Amino acid sequence: MSGASTEPVILVEKSGGVALVTLNRPNAMNALSRELRAAIAETFEALEADPEVRAVILTGAGKAFTAGLDLKELGSGASTVGSAVNDKDPVTSIGQFSGPVIGAINGVAITGGFELALACDVLICSTNARFADTHGRVGILPGWGLSQKLSRVLGIYRAKELSLTGNFLSAAQAYEWGMVNRVVEPDELIPTCRKLADDMLSLIPDCLVTYKELIDEGFAQTFGESLKTERRFTSERNKAVDAGEIEARREAIRQRGQQQKN
């Protein structure tokens, strides 16, 4: 990493079971230097080990979510594309966090930054967010899953349009294509994500974790295999729930439904 800044490359703020994780290289558009990649991996490992943290919001400082791999660092020889793929990578580390990870996409998410966004469970974007897969324009291929995830999210034709042109996708277009959950004004981004995290944390704690695991495991399988997976999860989980627990929760569910209807 260039420069002599003593600022940490990643910031973590914990509150109410939620960790707000901020990529903190704003002057470099939060480019994924080797230092920042390692910091992301180490941070998510630490959060997974922290029993007080049950959900994460991931965002970027300044005007970018992240511009992807630090091309200046790669061009200087201080890091290599091979090491970016083979080192402990941030996408795998995010995926190993057992609770929900909400991507608060505040600005551009380009190439490796696009892959980082797709590693999240839910994407909330500000109106300033834009996405681009510029791997082909740099002359490299993705190594953190983008080539396979994007087609599963958008469909193969739209995924090929993005990856084989390197064109930008606006927040509004990403929402229209079903890639992001919603688009909000910049000052509403983190509050919206916090409210969503609180909603998620109001689920039965162990069910929240197991349900995420079930969805992710099934998504990687054929439909037939995923139904078998659901049956396996269901038989293990549901037999442990007794009628008294269901009755105790029924009224709270009814009241919440009434509040959401009003």
Side-chain angles (χ1 to χ4, degrees):
M1 185 179 70
S2 62
S5 174
T6 58
E7 282 288 314
V9 295
I10 197 163
L11 305 174
V12 180
E13 174 190 326
K14 301 176 185 178
S15 176
V18 180
L20 174 62
V21 176
T22 304
L23 309 180
N24 190 40
R25 299 186 69 210
N27 293 333
M29 297 181 69
N30 301 317
L32 298 169
S33 63
R34 194 167 195 174
E35 180 186 12
L36 180 53
R37 297 195 305 271
I40 294 169
E42 291 164 4
T43 295
F44 273 87
E45 288 171 1
L47 293 175
E48 176 64 12
D50 186 343
E52 299 299 318
V53 175
R54 298 174 49 220
V56 171
I57 299 168
L58 178 63
T59 193
K63 297 182 179 180
F65 177 67
T66 166
L69 288 178
D70 190 330
L71 298 183
K72 185 175 181 179
E73 183 181 77
L74 293 175
S76 72
S79 180
T80 67
V81 175
S83 70
V85 174
N86 296 320
D87 285 351
K88 185 181 292 185
D89 73 81
V91 168
T92 299
S93 299
I94 291 170
Q96 291 172 343
F97 182 76
S98 57
V101 178
I102 300 170
I105 313 302
N106 56 301
V108 293
I110 304 172
T111 310
F114 200 167
E115 298 197 83
L116 208 66
L118 291 177
C120 300
D121 298 300
V122 173
L123 294 180
I124 308 297
C125 291
S126 89
T127 52
N128 294 330
R130 293 197 301 160
F131 302 86
D133 176 11
T134 61
H135 282 95
R137 294 190 174 274
V138 178
I140 61 176
L141 294 176
W144 295 340
L146 185 146
S147 67
Q148 304 306 308
K149 288 181 181 178
L150 196 59
S151 61
R152 286 163 171 77
V153 172
L154 296 180
I156 194 165
Y157 300 111
R158 284 173 170 166
K160 284 180 178 178
E161 177 184 339
L162 288 179
S163 296
L164 301 184
T165 63
N167 290 342
F168 275 88
L169 183 71
S170 69
Q173 188 71 66
Y175 176 76
E176 183 179 327
W177 282 6
M179 195 184 81
V180 304
N181 294 70
R182 68 195 76 161
V183 180
V184 299
E185 293 300 320
D187 61 351
E188 297 175 2
L189 181 61
I190 299 302
T192 298
C193 291
R194 286 192 180 278
K195 173 63 168 60
L196 181 58
D198 288 342
D199 283 347
M200 290 175 171
L201 295 189
S202 69
L203 267 64
I204 306 304
D206 64 320
C207 195
L208 174 65
V209 171
T210 304
Y211 211 154
K212 173 184 167 176
E213 183 184 1
L214 168 57
I215 293 169
D216 286 343
E217 187 170 326
F219 189 70
Q221 299 170 331
T222 65
F223 183 65
E225 287 299 315
S226 70
L227 292 178
K228 294 176 185 178
T229 296
E230 183 188 72
R231 181 67 60 89
R232 172 169 56 84
F233 272 72
T234 297
S235 63
E236 293 171 357
R237 164 75 196 185
N238 291 0
K239 66 184 179 183
V241 181
D242 63 37
E245 289 176 310
I246 294 174
E247 178 60 24
R249 295 161 183 164
R250 180 176 65 85
E251 179 60 21
I253 294 170
R254 187 194 69 80
Q255 290 182 5
R256 189 169 189 273
Q258 288 295 321
Q259 292 170 357
Q260 290 194 324
K261 187 171 69 174
N262 297 332

